[in-house]
Every structure is written in structure tokens, then in C-alpha cells.
Amino acid sequence: MTVGILRVGSPALREVAALVANVDDPVVVREAAALGAAIHAFRAEHGFGRAIAAPQIGIAKRMIGLAMPGWPDVIVNPEIVWASNERMTLWDDCMCFPEMLVRVERFASISVRFTDMAGKAHLKEALSRAEAELMQHEIDHLDGKLSFDRAVGENAFVHRRVFETNRSAFAAQVDYFPQS
């Protein structure tokens, strides 16, 4: 296990993560702590990042570390149990390729069932666009998928420097623009 973020091209990013059987397992507890350390280090270096899936740091388990108000620090075995009919396009960024953004299409809202590190089951229903796109992105990581797999439209990839120099033009190309 590493606390560094794996980069695009790493075979481990394409593996489907295993269910977490026991949140009290000392290995799982250490891995949960590693998720928290990784997200905070990444945010300090790059200035963005609300969540990190365990496979992004080489842990092949269904765990997501979060830095979001109203959510546990780590959730395990998340699953989408409802998705809206409405879809949205947005520019997706990822810790595995922080210098790029990818235009993707996602559900505008979802409901997610998960367990926290205390073993308590939760259901978060009809998530906002910001939470819905993030959970879909992180659950994709647990299923071995990257934003590149969901790219839509022409010129769906952009370097962050280009994106930052003309944010309004890129905002006009999508339905939802969380970078504002």
C-alpha cells in the first residue's frame, strides 16, 4: 500500500475493488486512516479534492475517503440504489490526472447506500448535483472505471492550464460547472 496517488495507466486503477467484510479489522482501520492522509496531502498540494477512492492509493477495497461536511470521513461498500432520469454533462477532474479535465455525462442525482467505519448503515437520498457527480466518480473508481471511460463529445479532454485561462468558454460547454 502507498499513500501516493496512483497515476493514470496504473493497472491497479482498472481492478474492481472487493467488498469490505469487517470495518473493525485492524487492516481496514489503517487503510481508512491512509485514505484520510492521502486526501489531505493532495488538497494541500493541488488545492482541490473532496474525495478519494481506496484503489487510487493501491487499496483494492470498496472504501471512499471524504472531506465533505455532513458525510463520514470514510464510507465503505457504497452502492447507487437510485438514479434520476435527468443527466448532466460536466468537466470532471481526478487526483489520478490532476493536470487534465474530462467532459463526462452523469446522472443529475442519485441515492447512495453505504456503511460508516462504526458499522452503521446509511442511505443518502436524492443527492445534490455536487454530491451526485462526486459519488458517481468515486464509485466508478471502485469499479475500475476512470473519467476517460465516460468522456462525451468532441474535444472532451483539456489540460488544466488551458481550462483555467478560459473558464467561461468551458462552462458554456456543459450543463453543470462545479469549478465556479
Side-chain angles (χ1 to χ4, degrees):
M1 177 177 59
T2 179
V3 283
I5 310 294
L6 298 178
R7 299 291 290 184
V8 167
S10 171
L13 292 173
R14 291 304 190 169
E15 295 175 13
V16 176
L19 289 172
V20 174
N22 178 4
V23 295
D24 293 324
D25 180 329
V27 172
V28 172
V29 172
R30 280 194 309 274
E31 291 168 338
L35 282 170
I39 194 168
H40 293 295
F42 184 90
R43 287 169 63 100
E45 182 178 348
H46 296 279
F48 73 93
R50 299 171 289 157
I52 185 167
Q56 292 179 270
I57 61 170
I59 300 169
K61 291 186 181 139
R62 298 189 79 77
M63 302 170 64
I64 298 172
L66 297 166
M68 294 182 6
W71 287 79
D73 292 339
V74 175
I75 64 173
V76 298
N77 300 331
E79 63 176 314
I80 297 170
V81 296
W82 171 83
S84 65
N85 290 328
E86 182 185 1
R87 309 267 304 181
M88 63 181 172
T89 55
L90 65 130
W91 289 103
D92 199 10
D93 55 19
C94 182
M95 294 178 178
C96 295
F97 48 90
E99 65 283 343
M100 298 291 295
L101 287 99
V102 180
R103 184 177 41 242
V104 300
E105 183 178 79
R106 299 212 182 267
F107 294 107
S109 182
I110 61 171
S111 295
V112 177
R113 182 178 14 237
F114 61 89
T115 303
D116 64 24
M117 289 301 293
K120 182 179 177 194
H122 297 265
L123 175 64
K124 293 256 189 180
E125 296 183 281
L127 297 178
S128 68
R129 287 180 177 229
E131 291 177 333
E133 65 90 3
L134 178 67
M135 284 296 120
Q136 290 171 85
H137 175 101
E138 299 307 332
I139 291 171
D140 271 355
H141 275 299
L142 301 179
D143 294 332
K145 293 182 173 66
L146 298 172
S147 299
F148 295 114
D149 300 322
R150 302 236 185 254
V152 295
E154 292 183 34
N155 302 314
F157 311 102
V158 62
H159 195 279
R160 187 172 291 276
R161 283 190 313 246
V162 173
F163 181 89
E164 294 296 340
T165 61
N166 203 349
R167 294 169 66 79
S168 59
F170 287 105
Q173 296 175 20
V174 294
D175 303 314
Y176 174 62
F177 195 70
Q179 293 84 4
S180 56

